[in-house]
Each structure stands twice: as structure tokens, then as C-alpha cells.
Amino acid sequence: MNPTAAASDRLRVAEPRAVSARLPGNIDMNTAPDVTAPTAIAAPDQAKAAALPRIKLQSHGFSLDHPDQALGEQLMANALGVTDREAMHGIIRQLVKASVSGERPDEVNLSFMISMVKSIRPRDSVEAMLVAQMVSVHVMAMRCAHHLANADDLAQHDSAARALGRLARTFPAQIETLNRYRSHGEPAITVQNVSVGDGGKAIVGNVTQHASVIVSDKSPAAARHAPKAAGSRRRPASADAKREAQA
């Protein structure tokens, strides 16, 4: 037998099988994640029924990928914080347009944006619109950061830097607006350096302090209970001293 042929046969036998290009756990940047996959905690049937439906982009629009169309629409409406089908489709259409990368909507961006909206949990239509703006601003900011990192000349660099700066300032303002709206516009009350001695009473409000009287702006009646001046306490003492001297 030819020694070279035998060695070639041995090499072919030892040759490993082809390995899949996508190993378990790897993330494909060009493929939208499957948000309908069951988690390790929930039962498979329950997770499949309750999972947020995936949005499939089509040439004429989009569709919800869920075995029960009515349930899928209800789950999506709850995640977006709206109460009816028209509002849900309107928010999704706006997110689809905001997800455009290049000249076409990006399914990966869209899945990310909807996931972020769901995690913030808008509670009504106002919050739904504000949160949709927030995630859109974030996506635009990261897009500007990408353009800034790949700028070829000074003009592109300055344009991307200005846009990124404006978007970066807008995002925390939106967070503050959302927090204020959720707290019904009630301002926070901060009390500093309050000291109350034994037997004393704290006064809530703006306080004006003079040499002998403390008066609260919000409690005019408190002036009637203010302590007497020090001079009034000294007068009886001086009268007693005179009487003792005369005796």
C-alpha cells in the first residue's frame, strides 16, 4: 500500500466535522432576537402565551407574530401603556420609522426599542408617548455617537458632536419630565437644620426670627403665644430688690 495514500486516509478520518457558525450563546447582530422564547422560570406553554409578540416587518407595514392575534395585541398594548388597538398601532408605526437604519427599518433596533418601552412600563397614553420619545432619542444619540467615532473630516466630526450633545441633554430632561408626571407635579419638600429643644414645638413654614419674637408666616396666631421679651421678665425682679432695700 502506498504510504502517502495511507497517511491521506488517516488525515481524512481525523478531520473534524464542520462547526456551526453560530455557537450557543453567540449574538447575531443582523438578526432580531426571538422575544417569544420561553424563560427558564416560566413553563414553556405559559411563557409562549404570555410573551410579548415579535413584530415582523413587511413591505407594506408590520404584523404581530403571536399564535393568538387578539391576545398578542392585548399584550403589546399593555407593554406600550395604551388602551386601544389604534393607539398601539400608532406607537408601533412611529417606532418603526425611528428605527430606520440607512433607508430601511431595522428589526433589531425595533425589538430593542419595544423592549425598553416595556421595561419602563408606561402607565397611560401620555407616558406611552413620552417613553417612545425617550427610546427614540437614545437610539438617535447612539447613532450620532457612531457617526462621531467614524467621522472622516472636521465638519462631520463637529456635526455629529453637536447632534450628540443636544440628544444627550434631551434624554435626562425627558427622565425628569416622566418622574414629575408620575408624581403628579408635586415638588419635593426639603427641611434642613431643624433643631427642637425639650418642650419646644417645630414650626412648618417660612419663619422670621427677631431678637425676642419668632413668628411663622403660615401661623399668625403663633405670635400670640410667643415668649415675652427678656426685659419684661427683669422688671418684677428689680421691684423685689427695691422692696428688700427699703426693708
Side-chain angles (χ1 to χ4, degrees):
M1 184 177 181
N2 190 344
T4 303
S8 178
D9 292 340
R10 286 195 299 272
L11 288 175
R12 282 197 297 268
V13 172
E15 184 178 358
R17 296 180 180 179
V19 180
S20 173
R22 293 190 59 194
L23 296 176
N26 287 357
I27 299 176
D28 189 345
M29 298 296 291
N30 298 318
T31 304
D34 185 5
V35 297
T36 62
T39 61
I41 299 176
D45 293 340
Q46 295 176 350
K48 186 176 181 180
L52 192 64
R54 177 179 175 180
I55 296 180
K56 298 179 65 176
L57 297 177
Q58 301 171 349
S59 58
H60 60 279
F62 62 88
S63 63
L64 299 182
D65 186 10
H66 196 275
D68 186 340
Q69 191 67 18
L71 177 59
E73 290 182 350
Q74 184 62 50
L75 292 171
M76 182 61 69
N78 293 341
L80 298 179
V82 295
T83 58
D84 55 69
R85 187 172 182 269
E86 288 73 16
M88 178 200 68
H89 280 263
I91 292 291
I92 293 178
R93 279 194 298 270
Q94 294 171 349
L95 293 176
V96 169
K97 294 178 180 178
S99 71
V100 171
S101 179
E103 298 181 355
R104 301 182 59 184
D106 190 298
E107 195 169 328
V108 175
N109 275 344
L110 181 60
S111 296
F112 166 76
M113 296 168 76
I114 292 178
S115 177
M116 290 297 100
V117 171
K118 179 184 177 183
S119 66
I120 299 175
R121 298 179 181 178
R123 300 178 297 185
D124 56 32
S125 297
V126 174
E127 291 190 9
M129 293 185 289
L130 181 57
V131 172
Q133 294 177 24
M134 291 171 60
V135 297
S136 300
V137 165
H138 170 74
V139 170
M140 296 297 178
M142 300 310 295
R143 192 172 298 165
C144 288
H146 173 73
H147 293 330
L148 180 60
N150 293 276
D152 296 328
D153 52 45
L154 184 60
Q156 294 180 0
H157 182 279
D158 291 344
S159 177
R162 286 194 299 270
L164 178 59
R166 289 193 295 267
L167 293 169
R169 290 190 296 271
T170 299
F171 189 76
Q174 291 173 323
I175 296 176
E176 182 180 357
T177 301
L178 178 62
N179 290 335
R180 190 184 309 118
Y181 178 80
R182 285 183 169 177
S183 62
H184 304 290
E186 297 176 358
I189 299 176
T190 303
V191 180
Q192 297 178 345
N193 300 328
V194 175
S195 178
V196 181
D198 294 339
K201 295 182 179 180
I203 299 175
V204 178
N206 297 324
V207 177
T208 303
Q209 181 174 357
H210 300 285
S212 59
V213 180
I214 298 178
V215 180
S216 171
D217 293 346
K218 292 188 177 181
S219 302
R224 295 195 299 268
H225 303 287
K228 296 181 179 180
S232 63
R233 291 195 300 270
R234 286 195 296 269
R235 283 196 295 269
S238 60
D240 294 342
K242 289 180 180 180
R243 285 194 296 271
E244 291 176 358
Q246 292 175 355

